[in-house]
């Protein structure tokens, strides 16, 4: 089952009906966990994979018990290390290939997101033992079906509050309307816009790999990022809308990423729940260690650059299991730390207020945005090319060909970004119900026409593989 | 008062302040507290609870 299949629509309809018909007290303790269990077996590629996911939940449950019963720092570190190692082994990371039975575990979906949720719960539990979750809470949180495949990443504390409020939830007209509006928008993004851009990206990718053709390579890079945006943000609209039917208010994951004027701003607008998680549990933690170890205020800039590099290196590594993602992590780390060095230099030279005033100027923001997206397109190349393909591109294009491709990409962005950034501002009309209904109807009509014209659409979400 | 109202405030300054408070008062902030403090009032409340 995929989120774009009729079987998912059937699953959602039946689950939402049962959930809302059942007495409130049964919802959090029985109906929602039952729908999640059913979802796991429907969505995983095999029954074995479903049991693997349940096994990982079991490991986390045992880990929470150990941390609660033995709150010593050494025990906490040991438990977190074991969970990380088991995750690395289950995901079959190439650099953990030396472990016994590496690659033995069947492929699953959503394990990286489960790891992030488990780390958040274990770290917060170590800090706050009163958090002490019950088994059903751990199970529902770890496998909550709207978040299972690709997020959004919700904190345990926020999820538990919503679990408690399920009893009093009432599905009224307004909630149903908002849910449908979000889901239709999501399906429009995924089935039409993501699919159309996927065809463009794959076509340009084929051309760019067959011969050294910088324009095709630049086009493939930008088409991939646009496809990823519609695919991933569309998925978010669908699950956030579906969550409404169960009283869940999932956190938003996108905030107009195309308006970004710097690499660091981009990551504050794209996959925001992941960025917030890495900021809270990696960046801040690394920075605290550095500041405590070397408290000299003159080293503050160095601390920031080092913390940004390590954090974004891990962001890249988290996205995949192959050496290509190590490369992706290095490129993301270089991008983040370079951005921080530039910010430090400019703030020192101009002061924070004058630097911010400069970033508001149109010419500056356009050039900064175009450079930002050129680098982002370049740094995520390993999400769509294997390590061997990247090597072959480097050899075939040589340095001059690659510079030409990135220059074309920069030019494309300089020409297209003003329109892309203006579009949402132009469409920011008052949220009237009739207008929303009209737009949703229009989107349904386009989906229908697109499916009729191009029936072989669909496929897995890009982020499912993580 | 929030971070946005202080011109020179940034995430690095925030962490330096947290570390300075921890060392001066002999307390320890949780990961969640460090990330979710929204203003000076909340910071004071958290410190009061720990003292």
């Amino acid at each position: 089952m995929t989120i774009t299949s009729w079987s998912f629509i059937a699953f959602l309809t039946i689950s939402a009906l049962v959930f809302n018909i059942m007495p409130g007290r049964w919802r959090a303790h029985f109906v929602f966990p039952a729908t999640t269990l059913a979802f796991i077996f429907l969505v995983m590629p095999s029954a074995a994979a479903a049991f693997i996911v349940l096994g990982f939940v079991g490991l986390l449950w045992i880990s929470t018990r150990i941390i609660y019963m033995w709150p010593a720092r050494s025990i906490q570190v040991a438990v977190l290390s074991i969970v990380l190692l088991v995750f690395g082994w289950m995901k079959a990371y190439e650099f953990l290939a030396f472990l016994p039975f590496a690659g033995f575990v069947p492929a699953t979906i959503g394990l990286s997101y489960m790891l992030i949720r488990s780390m958040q719960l274990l770290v917060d539990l170590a800090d706050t033992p009163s958090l002490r979750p019950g088994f059903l809470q751990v199970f529902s949180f770890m496998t909550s079906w709207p978040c299972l495949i690709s997020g959004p990443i919700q904190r345990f504390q926020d999820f538990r509050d919503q679990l408690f409020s399920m009893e009093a939830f009432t599905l009224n007209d307004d909630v149903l309307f908002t849910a449908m509006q979000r889901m239709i928008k999501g399906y429009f993004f995924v089935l039409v816009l993501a699919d159309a851009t996927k065809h463009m990206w794959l076509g340009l990718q084929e051309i760019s790999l067959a011969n050294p053709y910088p324009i095709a390579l630049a086009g493939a890079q930008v088409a991939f990022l646009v496809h990823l945006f519609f695919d991933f943000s569309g998925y978010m609209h669908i699950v956030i809308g579906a969550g409404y039917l169960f009283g869940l208010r999932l956190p938003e994951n996108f905030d107009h990423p195309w308006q970004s004027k710097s690499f660091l701003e981009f990551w504050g607008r794209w996959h925001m729940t992941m960025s917030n998680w890495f900021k809270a549990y990696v960046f801040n933690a690394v920075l605290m260690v550095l500041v405590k170890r070397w408290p000299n205020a003159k080293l503050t800039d160095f601390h920031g650059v080092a913390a940004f590099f390590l954090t974004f290196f891990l962001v890249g590594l988290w996205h995949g299991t192959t050496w290509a993602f190590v490369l992706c992590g290095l490129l993301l780390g270089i991008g983040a730390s370079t951005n921080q060095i530039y910010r430090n230099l400019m703030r020192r030279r101009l002061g924070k207020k004058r630097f911010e005033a400069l970033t508001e100027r149109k010419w500056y923001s356009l050039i900064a945005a175009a450079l930002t997206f050129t680098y982002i397109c370049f740094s995520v190349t390993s999400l769509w090319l294997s390590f061997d393909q990247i090597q072959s591109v480097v050899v075939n294009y040589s340095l001059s060909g690659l510079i030409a491709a990135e220059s074309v990409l920069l030019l494309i962005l300089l020409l297209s970004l003003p329109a892309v950034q203006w579009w949402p501002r132009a469409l920011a009309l008052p949220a009237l119900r009739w207008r929303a209904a009209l737009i949703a109807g229009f989107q349904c009509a386009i989906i229908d026409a697109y499916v009729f014209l191009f029936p072989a659409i669909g496929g897995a979400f890009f982020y499912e593989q993580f | 008062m929030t971070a946005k109202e202080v011109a020179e405030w940034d995430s690095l300054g925030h962490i330096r302040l947290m570390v300075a408070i921890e060392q001066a008062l002999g307390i320890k902030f949780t990961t969640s507290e460090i990330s979710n403090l929204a203003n000076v009032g909340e910071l004071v409340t958290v410190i009061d609870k720990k003292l």
Side-chain angles (χ1 to χ4, degrees):
Chain A
M1 179 177 79
T2 66
I3 302 289
T4 51
S5 63
W6 284 109
S7 50
F8 172 73
I9 300 294
F11 161 81
L12 180 63
T13 309
I14 294 167
S15 301
L17 275 173
V18 173
F19 180 89
N20 286 285
I21 288 169
M22 284 284 178
R25 63 183 182 282
W26 287 16
R27 291 174 179 167
H29 300 299
F30 175 67
V31 184
F32 190 73
T35 59
T36 284
L37 192 62
F39 185 79
I40 291 171
F41 279 93
L42 287 169
V43 83
M44 287 295 155
S46 64
F51 283 111
I52 292 290
V53 165
L54 296 177
F56 195 67
V57 175
L59 173 69
L60 180 71
W61 163 245
I62 293 166
S63 303
T64 60
R65 301 302 300 161
I66 292 172
I67 284 185
Y68 181 75
M69 289 165 73
W70 294 285
R73 198 74 184 163
S74 55
I75 300 282
Q76 294 166 2
V77 172
V79 167
L80 288 172
S81 305
I82 289 169
V83 171
L84 270 174
L85 200 64
V86 170
F87 165 78
W89 175 69
M90 288 165 73
K91 286 282 285 184
Y93 273 87
E94 281 188 356
F95 48 83
L96 291 175
F98 62 88
L99 288 173
F101 306 110
F104 175 76
V105 178
T108 55
I109 294 173
L111 207 58
S112 299
Y113 286 91
M114 287 178 71
L115 174 78
I116 276 198
R117 286 196 287 273
S118 64
M119 289 285 126
Q120 183 267 319
L121 176 55
L122 292 175
V123 170
D124 282 5
L125 182 64
D127 283 341
T128 320
S130 59
L131 204 59
R132 197 186 176 184
F135 176 76
L136 263 184
Q137 289 174 358
V138 171
F139 172 76
S140 298
F141 170 63
M142 286 291 287
T143 55
S144 166
W145 69 261
C147 306
L148 179 67
I149 298 174
S150 306
I153 300 157
Q154 200 174 19
R155 288 168 73 238
F156 172 76
Q157 294 89 322
D158 299 334
F159 176 79
R160 190 171 62 175
D161 288 347
Q162 297 192 357
L163 212 54
F164 286 151
S165 62
M166 276 179 176
E167 185 172 343
F169 170 69
T170 307
L171 182 63
N172 58 32
D173 281 359
D174 287 338
V175 176
L176 189 61
F177 184 82
T178 309
M180 290 299 116
Q181 189 193 353
R182 290 294 295 260
M183 289 183 71
I184 289 168
K185 185 177 182 181
Y187 280 115
F188 174 65
F189 272 29
V190 172
L191 292 174
V192 179
L193 301 176
D195 189 75
T197 46
K198 186 177 183 178
H199 287 301
M200 282 171 64
W201 152 48
L202 291 177
L204 289 163
Q205 177 186 333
E206 199 178 330
I207 296 166
S208 66
L209 289 178
N211 289 297
Y213 193 18
I215 295 175
L217 185 58
Q221 285 179 301
V222 76
F224 170 74
L225 195 67
V226 176
H227 160 71
L228 193 59
F229 169 72
F230 285 124
D231 187 68
F232 194 20
S233 68
Y235 172 83
M236 284 302 141
H237 283 304
I238 294 170
V239 293
I240 288 172
Y244 270 87
L245 303 174
F246 299 81
L248 292 172
R249 296 289 181 274
L250 303 179
E252 296 292 339
N253 230 357
F254 289 86
D255 177 20
H256 304 93
W258 303 104
Q259 306 289 338
S260 307
K261 288 176 283 191
S262 73
F263 184 88
L264 293 175
E265 185 187 351
F266 174 80
W267 287 103
R269 291 173 174 273
W270 175 288
H271 208 170
M272 289 150 61
T273 58
M274 182 205 69
S275 303
N276 291 337
W277 187 92
F278 272 93
K279 184 182 177 190
Y281 295 93
V282 180
F283 179 79
N284 286 350
V286 171
L287 211 51
M288 293 223 31
V289 169
L290 291 174
V291 171
K292 283 177 182 169
R293 180 73 183 78
W294 293 285
N296 189 339
K298 288 179 182 170
L299 293 172
T300 302
D301 287 355
F302 168 75
H303 293 155
V305 171
F308 272 122
F309 181 83
L310 184 63
T311 305
F312 278 87
F313 175 66
L314 291 177
V315 166
L317 213 57
W318 174 80
H319 276 84
T321 59
T322 63
W323 286 106
F325 291 90
V326 178
L327 176 66
C328 177
L330 285 172
L331 291 172
L332 291 179
I334 290 168
S337 47
T338 306
N339 192 162
Q340 179 64 7
I341 291 169
Y342 172 73
R343 200 157 65 173
N344 289 340
L345 288 172
M346 293 300 280
R347 279 181 183 172
R348 199 165 296 146
R349 198 182 171 106
L350 301 176
K352 193 178 176 185
K353 278 190 175 174
R354 280 180 65 201
F355 178 48
E356 279 178 1
L358 176 67
T359 62
E360 294 304 319
R361 292 192 180 179
K362 278 187 181 173
W363 64 268
Y364 178 93
S365 60
L366 175 60
I367 294 170
L371 285 169
T372 295
F373 282 103
T374 301
Y375 188 78
I376 288 163
C377 288
F378 172 72
S379 59
V380 299
T381 305
S382 54
L383 295 186
W384 54 279
L385 288 182
S386 68
F387 201 65
D388 290 342
Q389 286 174 318
I390 292 172
Q391 281 181 318
S392 128
V393 165
V394 170
V395 170
N396 292 339
Y397 279 72
S398 73
L399 186 62
S400 58
L402 289 175
I403 290 172
E406 298 317 298
S407 303
V408 171
L409 179 55
L410 181 64
L411 187 65
I412 292 171
L413 290 164
L414 279 170
L415 294 172
S416 58
L417 275 174
V420 173
Q421 292 179 341
W422 167 82
W423 185 255
R425 286 197 290 269
L427 285 183
L429 301 168
L432 300 173
R433 196 163 166 145
W434 67 265
R435 187 177 287 141
L438 200 65
I439 292 171
F442 185 63
Q443 287 167 336
C444 283
I446 295 179
I447 293 170
D448 196 35
Y450 191 87
V451 171
F452 177 74
L453 290 169
F454 308 102
I457 60 166
F461 283 98
F462 195 84
Y463 263 70
E464 268 190 30
Q465 61 187 296
F466 307 137
Chain B
M1 180 180 279
T2 66
K4 282 184 179 172
E5 291 162 354
V6 181
E8 296 301 320
W9 192 269
D10 60 13
S11 53
L12 305 180
H14 177 71
I15 296 297
R16 287 196 73 83
L17 177 65
M18 295 294 114
V19 171
I21 293 172
E22 278 191 355
Q23 290 174 343
L25 302 178
I27 58 173
K28 191 166 178 1
F29 293 110
T30 66
T31 311
S32 182
E33 285 164 350
I34 290 168
S35 311
N36 296 320
L37 287 172
N39 53 51
V40 176
E42 282 187 15
L43 175 62
V44 172
T45 308
V46 169
I47 293 171
D48 275 346
K49 278 184 190 168
K50 289 176 186 290
L51 289 175

